[in-house]
Amino acid sequence: MEKKELLYEGKAKKVYTTDDPALLIVSYKDDATAFNGLKKGTISGKGAINNQMSDLLMERLEKAGIATHYVQMLSDRDTLVKRVQIVPLEVIVRNIAAGSFSKRYGVEEGRVLPSPTLELSYKNDELGDPLLNHYHALALGLCTQEELAVIERYAFAVNDFLKNFWQECGVTLVDFKLEFGRLADGTIVLADEISPDTCRLWDSATGEKLDKDRFRRDLGGTEDAYAEVMRRLRSHD
Ligand code: UDP
């Protein structure tokens, strides 16, 4: 399968059409942004790592019964995926307080939550991805009640799977963001990516951050952290 036309270029990925209208090619870049595009940079090797990590995890999730957009890895940076219409929601699951949750609710970073929590943001860069609840999502026509139910069930199932998987790699899954899409027949599938760009991952032994917070907070060693998390993932089996 070959790239035909550039359909869309986002902050970290390019999306191309193919000869099959139901399939697209996603190409991962080394570009990184944070704070709604205010901070820009490159994380060398990130594109290849995120592509391979996301594919490996989605493949596992499929086997665990969660429908995803993943079809096939084409190269280091490129993956064939099912064409979806993205549901404009960022679905965030948290096991441990960090980032905007800590700030908004005044909870110290690192506090283990009594049970995982889920929050929704409206995926809209101009508005700065505002937090919203079910009623807002329905009032804005972003999705249906039935779709929300599937999305939330999937999100917690992904958390159960990933938490356990990362634990076996000596990595603590703090929180992560998911996006879902609709296939042509309306079926909801997990889309976008699962990578250190979209998850907070801490070394279980040392607490060291192994994710995009190294870039966001200028901690240094970002490339090494991404490579380390990929190494742990590969040595899982
Ligand atoms: N996240 C993401 N994209 C976004 C916002 C958040 O991938 O646009 C991820 C982020 O990497 C973290 C989780 O979602 O793993 C929760 O992020 P949070 O709401 O704490 O926002 P942040 O502190 O990153 O602004």
Side-chain angles (χ1 to χ4, degrees):
M1 197 63 76
E2 305 219 327
K3 294 172 189 165
K4 241 172 100 182
E5 267 173 61
L6 181 66
L7 181 68
Y8 166 83
E9 176 156 11
K11 288 172 265 191
K13 299 190 276 293
K14 290 182 186 175
V15 181
Y16 296 90
T17 56
T18 68
D19 286 329
D20 185 336
L23 298 175
L24 298 174
I25 294 173
V26 178
S27 188
Y28 286 73
K29 307 189 284 184
D30 285 352
D31 298 349
T33 63
F35 312 118
N36 203 11
L38 281 178
K39 183 179 168 79
K40 288 193 175 74
T42 353
I43 302 171
S44 174
K46 171 173 89 76
I49 289 175
N50 285 7
N51 180 48
Q52 291 166 52
M53 187 177 298
S54 198
D55 286 3
L56 197 147
L57 293 173
M58 291 227 188
E59 217 170 333
R60 299 297 183 102
L61 286 166
E62 280 279 352
K63 286 187 186 138
I66 294 154
T68 79
H69 71 162
Y70 173 73
V71 178
Q72 190 193 344
M73 193 189 296
L74 298 177
S75 72
D76 272 11
R77 285 172 187 272
D78 297 342
T79 293
L80 190 64
V81 299
K82 293 177 186 161
R83 186 177 201 141
V84 297
Q85 178 192 44
I86 291 284
V87 178
L89 289 174
E90 300 207 333
V91 181
I92 292 172
V93 180
R94 303 177 186 273
N95 298 304
I96 296 177
S100 68
F101 182 92
S102 288
K103 212 168 153 194
R104 181 177 307 116
Y105 303 115
V107 179
E108 82 278 12
E109 199 160 88
R111 191 198 297 173
V112 177
L113 305 176
S115 59
T117 187
L118 182 148
E119 66 195 43
L120 301 173
S121 297
Y122 181 17
K123 191 174 149 59
N124 184 317
D125 280 342
E126 281 100 84
L127 299 175
D129 300 337
L131 190 67
L132 47 66
N133 67 24
H134 279 199
Y135 298 103
H136 294 128
L138 298 176
L140 292 167
L142 306 183
C143 58
T144 66
Q145 189 111 50
E146 292 71 30
E147 287 176 334
L148 260 184
V150 174
I151 287 172
E152 296 194 347
R153 184 163 54 78
Y154 273 0
F156 283 117
V158 170
N159 185 46
D160 287 342
F161 177 87
L162 287 182
K163 208 164 56 171
N164 184 51
F165 185 90
W166 281 119
Q167 197 169 31
E168 290 167 2
C169 303
V171 172
T172 302
L173 178 64
V174 175
D175 59 28
F176 57 95
K177 184 261 308 180
L178 300 176
E179 293 182 24
F180 292 86
R182 301 176 186 99
L183 299 178
D185 68 358
T187 309
I188 292 285
V189 299
L190 179 63
D192 195 47
E193 67 177 282
I194 305 175
S195 72
D197 273 13
T198 62
C199 302
R200 284 196 170 92
L201 302 166
W202 294 352
D203 185 309
S204 304
T206 65
E208 196 191 353
K209 296 187 198 310
L210 300 173
D211 56 59
K212 198 170 150 189
D213 271 348
R214 301 207 74 84
F215 169 78
R216 291 190 190 98
R217 302 179 188 186
D218 292 320
L219 300 176
T222 309
E223 278 89 357
D224 290 347
Y226 276 63
E228 174 60 18
V229 98
M230 192 65 213
R231 200 184 59 72
R232 300 271 188 105
L233 189 106
R234 284 198 199 286
S235 64
H236 178 267
D237 295 316

